[in-house]
Amino acid sequence: MEHIWKEEVLRLLRSTDQAEFIELLQLADRIRDEVVRKQVCVHGLIEFSNNCSSHCLYCGIRAENKNLQRYRLVPEDIAEVAITAANIHGYKMLVLQSGEDPWYSVDDLSWLVKEIRKQSKVLVFLSIGERNMETYDRLYQAGARGMLFRFETSDPDLYRILHPNSSLSLRLEHLREIQRIGYFVATGSLVGLPGQTAESLVNDLYLIRDLHPMMATIGPFIPSKNTPLCNESPGSIALTLRMIALLRLIYPKVRIPITTALEKLGGLEVRERALLGGGNAFMLNLTPSHVRMHYEIYDGKNSTLGHIHNEESVHSLTHLITSHGRNVCKGFGKDFTLSAKDMDAYCGIQ
Ligand code: SAH
């Protein structure tokens, strides 16, 4: 049976029929409404270091990029930003992201997570790339409860080309280990990578489902200067929207954030299409202004003010969400999708 569905998913992914596209988005919206209801979560993102020892061909902060000004926030400063985000701005879930930066020892990161947890009640998600299992374990013990860790592409050959010295199986091994420890996982892939096929995109969707993450992030590839892929074309907005909608059909209960990469390509108007086509979460950027323009994983990553946490962006995002009869859960909302009891259980607070 599944292969018949896969054929249909592939057909819909490739279809250029506008009426069918609109129907697909509407169907995804209906399923979202039935399964995960009207809560739209807004998470906070803190990009604390753009130093990276990896070589991902598409990424602007890759080790080989000598033209990027590198920065690192010290743990005390990261903690302060996170605690303010939670206690003053009301975020309930924060993603702390960096390149693969061994400058931060496991003790540093544990201290950071403990400090945030001690001073605020917030779900700490980390996005720090591949570390050893002991590190993931220790960070869980420190109180981190989520890991954002994309598999990037489910095509093992393409994976190897894009990630020299690494492999998809190793990436998936890390992912499974992270899940085994008990983390909530956010995973997903890039859309429109050079050499990517529609079949492999369908496999990405089924791989997400099989990994049963709490959250799935799908965003378009955007070329980045000073990388080997700088002259390639970006992923397609429509294809990314189709991927989001199809994921909602295949794996209805997942939380699907509308990525800043999609917003970057499609302008802020695309938010609405994604929100009405299966998406149900957003992220606002809380990275301090003196460094955030250097977190350039793709060109112009943090140049759109609407993605940055400020009074106006909070207001317009809240307006967008509520104008469609949805509720802002978490962040600056009063009701959060996770109940207080769940939060306590997730955060290990007695
Ligand atoms: N180092 C961490 C995460 C940091 S980068 C890790 O390995 O998980 C976060 C995400 O940015 C990556 O997972 C990748 O999917 C995305 N990204 C990197 N370069 C990109 C580009 N050029 N266009 C769009 N997304 C990109």
Side-chain angles (χ1 to χ4, degrees):
M1 196 53 191
E2 182 139 311
H3 69 280
I4 302 173
W5 280 110
K6 273 196 174 177
E7 284 301 309
E8 179 60 4
V9 170
L10 181 60
R11 193 190 67 71
L12 286 167
L13 197 61
R14 283 186 167 139
S15 166
T16 52
D17 180 326
Q18 271 307 304
E20 197 165 51
F21 179 38
I22 289 166
E23 264 178 54
L24 173 65
L25 299 186
Q26 286 171 346
L27 179 60
D29 194 41
R30 279 211 301 282
I31 293 178
R32 188 267 320 144
D33 200 42
E34 273 165 32
V35 180
V36 290
R37 305 290 176 187
K38 302 203 183 303
Q39 306 277 30
V40 178
C41 291
V42 183
H43 312 137
L45 175 66
I46 303 167
E47 297 155 334
F48 63 89
S49 163
N50 70 350
N51 288 269
C52 192
S53 57
S54 284
H55 316 282
C56 313
L57 260 57
Y58 44 81
C59 187
I61 66 169
R62 66 200 301 267
E64 287 77 3
N65 185 358
K66 302 287 178 245
N67 294 311
L68 184 72
Q69 193 176 321
R70 304 281 174 172
Y71 71 88
R72 243 177 219 127
L73 301 180
V74 295
E76 291 78 2
D77 290 349
I78 308 168
E80 194 185 317
V81 176
I83 293 161
T84 305
N87 295 354
I88 309 285
H89 305 312
Y91 284 88
K92 294 281 199 296
M93 177 175 148
L94 293 174
V95 179
L96 310 186
Q97 190 175 78
S98 69
E100 312 229 346
D101 188 358
W103 184 85
Y104 298 90
S105 68
V106 61
D107 286 337
D108 292 335
L109 293 172
S110 298
W111 177 87
L112 171 63
V113 172
K114 279 189 192 151
E115 190 65 16
I116 297 171
R117 293 290 317 281
K118 200 159 62 186
Q119 302 207 38
S120 59
K121 198 172 171 194
V122 67
L123 194 60
V124 178
F125 254 73
L126 298 172
S127 176
I128 53 173
E130 291 169 32
R131 290 270 182 152
N132 63 32
M133 299 315 152
E134 191 206 326
T135 303
Y136 294 138
D137 244 330
R138 293 240 344 247
L139 294 175
Y140 188 88
Q141 285 164 31
R145 283 295 174 272
M147 277 285 173
L148 192 157
F149 194 91
R150 281 177 165 174
F151 56 79
E152 317 290 3
T153 172
S154 61
D155 175 342
D157 297 330
L158 182 59
Y159 191 97
R160 190 170 280 287
I161 293 169
L162 296 174
H163 307 95
N165 321 322
S166 189
S167 69
L168 178 63
S169 56
L170 191 64
R171 187 84 179 164
L172 293 176
E173 234 172 76
H174 278 88
L175 200 47
R176 295 208 170 90
E177 188 60 26
I178 289 166
Q179 277 181 315
R180 195 195 55 72
I181 293 170
Y183 283 102
F184 292 107
V185 165
T187 191
S189 61
L190 285 159
V191 177
L193 290 163
Q196 193 174 37
T197 62
E199 286 83 355
S200 88
L201 285 172
V202 172
N203 289 335
D204 289 358
L205 295 175
Y206 282 90
L207 179 55
I208 291 173
R209 185 202 63 179
D210 293 345
L211 291 164
H212 53 83
M214 166 217 198
M215 184 154 90
T217 114
I218 296 178
F221 155 71
I222 302 179
S224 177
K225 57 182 179 290
N226 304 311
T227 65
L229 305 184
C230 62
N231 295 321
E232 300 289 339
S233 308
S236 137
I237 297 164
L239 188 60
T240 308
L241 288 170
R242 283 200 283 272
M243 285 287 285
I244 290 173
L246 287 165
L247 181 63
R248 180 62 70 200
L249 268 53
I250 292 170
Y251 182 43
K253 68 176 185 189
V254 73
R255 180 177 300 183
I256 307 181
I258 293 147
T259 61
T260 45
L262 180 61
E263 294 172 350
K264 180 82 213 166
L265 268 192
L268 286 178
E269 312 84 74
V270 86
R271 277 180 167 172
E272 191 164 29
R273 299 203 77 188
L275 186 65
L276 300 179
N280 69 332
F282 288 96
M283 263 190 207
L284 286 178
N285 195 313
L286 292 140
T287 308
S289 58
H290 67 289
V291 293
R292 70 175 172 241
M293 67 288 212
H294 303 308
Y295 199 82
E296 250 197 332
I297 52 181
Y298 51 80
D299 290 348
K301 159 87 169 60
N302 287 338
S303 60
T304 309
L305 274 179
H307 304 158
I308 308 297
H309 172 91
N310 59 52
E311 215 175 303
E312 202 182 315
S313 60
V314 168
H315 182 265
S316 64
L317 192 52
T318 308
H319 176 73
L320 172 70
I321 294 167
T322 53
S323 68
H324 291 289
R326 316 270 185 94
N327 312 316
V328 181
C329 62
K330 77 115 266 71
F332 25 86
K334 285 171 217 72
D335 50 340
F336 178 46
T337 32
L338 306 178
S339 68
K341 189 165 141 273
D342 286 342
M343 270 299 281
D344 290 352
Y346 293 158
C347 296
I349 297 165
Q350 299 306 312

